[in-house]
Every structure is written in structure tokens, then in C-alpha cells.
Amino acid sequence: MSIDADPGTNAHVAEERGPGAEPVVLFASRWWPAVLVPLGLLTLIVVLSLRGGFASLIAPLGMTAATVVSAWRHRDGALLADDIGLLVRHRGTVTRSYRWSEIHQAGIARPGFGRLALAVYPNGGRWDVPGPNNAVLVGQVWLWRQPESAGRKRVEAVLRAHGVQIVEPLP
């Protein structure tokens, strides 16, 4: 997908990019597992709770509904990279996140259940938030599993190509 496809919403990004290659997709949402897995677990809980009554279904129903709604809202999310820096696609619009010159370190992070993002440590002073000691999560997407080896290598190659130090995720 070209980020120039909708000139009304992406004109500012197209002007910033200048001549160059299409952005590389570092990772993108896969929202169907974020919908199917909770629905499958809910089905299992419903079958098991038929013996105990339906009062015990309130919490699982709420969690399933919240997961499905959140996955649907972020279904087209993606983190992209071009010659200038990082781009985030969210709800059909592509915006510039950080320029390569602003990033000190970065690495793949798991911010929560079924989510994946890039933890970016921007340049700045010791006490800046976000800054070199405090990360900001960029490009959160739905990705049920860890990225495959090829995806992780692609992210690391793009970061290294632009002089960004790679941070290993915390266990």
C-alpha cells in the first residue's frame, strides 16, 4: 500500500518523504486471531459454566467484548519505516512518528495481551520523558504471537541501517 494513496489524509507525509523507496512494513496488525482466540475461549467457558450457572459469565463476556472491540479498532494498524524515520498507520491515516535522527535506541516490545510495538528511546536529557532512559511505544499492533525470525531480522536490519542501537526486550 502506498502512503500516497489518499492525498487528503496523507499529503503532509508525502511531502516529508521526498523521492525514495516505498516505506517498509516493519509489522502490521493481524486482528483475526485477536478475535477468534477470545471467542474460542469464551465458548469453552460457556460450555463449562452451563453446570454452574450463568452468573459466572459476566467477567469473561466483558473481557471478550473488550478484546474484540480493541482488536477491531486497531485492525489496520502498522508500523512502517522510510528513509526519514518511522511512520504509524492507524485507522487509515499515516503519520510521522519519529525521525531517525531523533532516535537513540529502539527494540521490539510486548506492551500487553496480544500486542506488539517498537519501544523507542529518543534523544534528549537524562530526565526527559520520553528520552534516552524512558521509552515510548510506537506503532502498537495486534499480533498474537512473537514476530517470526524473518520479521525480527527485518526490524533489526532497518534500525541498524539508520544507525539506531537495538535494545533487547526485557524477559
Side-chain angles (χ1 to χ4, degrees):
M1 175 186 139
S2 170
I3 65 168
D4 301 330
D6 185 5
T9 58
N10 299 322
H12 66 284
V13 175
E15 291 170 7
E16 285 184 14
R17 269 194 29 224
E22 283 291 312
V24 175
V25 177
L26 298 180
F27 39 82
S29 285
R30 292 186 193 150
W31 74 284
W32 62 268
V35 172
L36 292 181
V37 171
L39 289 177
L41 291 173
L42 179 66
T43 303
L44 178 66
I45 291 169
V46 168
V47 168
L48 293 175
S49 69
L50 286 176
R51 295 180 182 172
F54 287 103
S56 62
L57 284 179
I58 294 172
L61 281 172
M63 291 188 310
T64 301
T67 301
V68 170
V69 167
S70 180
W72 183 79
R73 285 187 61 216
H74 298 286
R75 68 189 176 278
D76 67 342
L79 180 65
L80 306 120
D82 64 4
D83 295 339
I84 296 172
L86 297 173
L87 302 164
V88 176
R89 183 177 66 211
H90 180 68
R91 293 189 183 180
T93 60
V94 178
T95 56
R96 173 79 49 207
S97 180
Y98 282 93
R99 295 177 181 275
W100 295 119
S101 62
E102 298 172 331
I103 301 172
H104 176 64
Q105 296 175 327
I108 296 174
R110 299 291 284 178
F113 176 72
R115 315 270 325 242
L116 185 74
L118 190 67
V120 173
Y121 295 85
N123 294 326
R126 270 195 328 195
W127 309 110
D128 290 345
V129 175
N133 295 321
N134 299 297
V136 62
L137 297 175
V138 176
Q140 292 189 38
V141 298
W142 276 101
L143 196 59
W144 189 259
R145 297 177 297 202
Q146 289 285 353
E148 61 277 351
S149 177
R152 182 176 295 278
K153 288 178 183 176
R154 181 178 60 242
V155 170
E156 291 176 356
V158 168
L159 293 175
R160 282 191 186 103
H162 295 286
V164 177
Q165 294 177 359
I166 296 175
V167 176
E168 293 300 318
L170 297 173

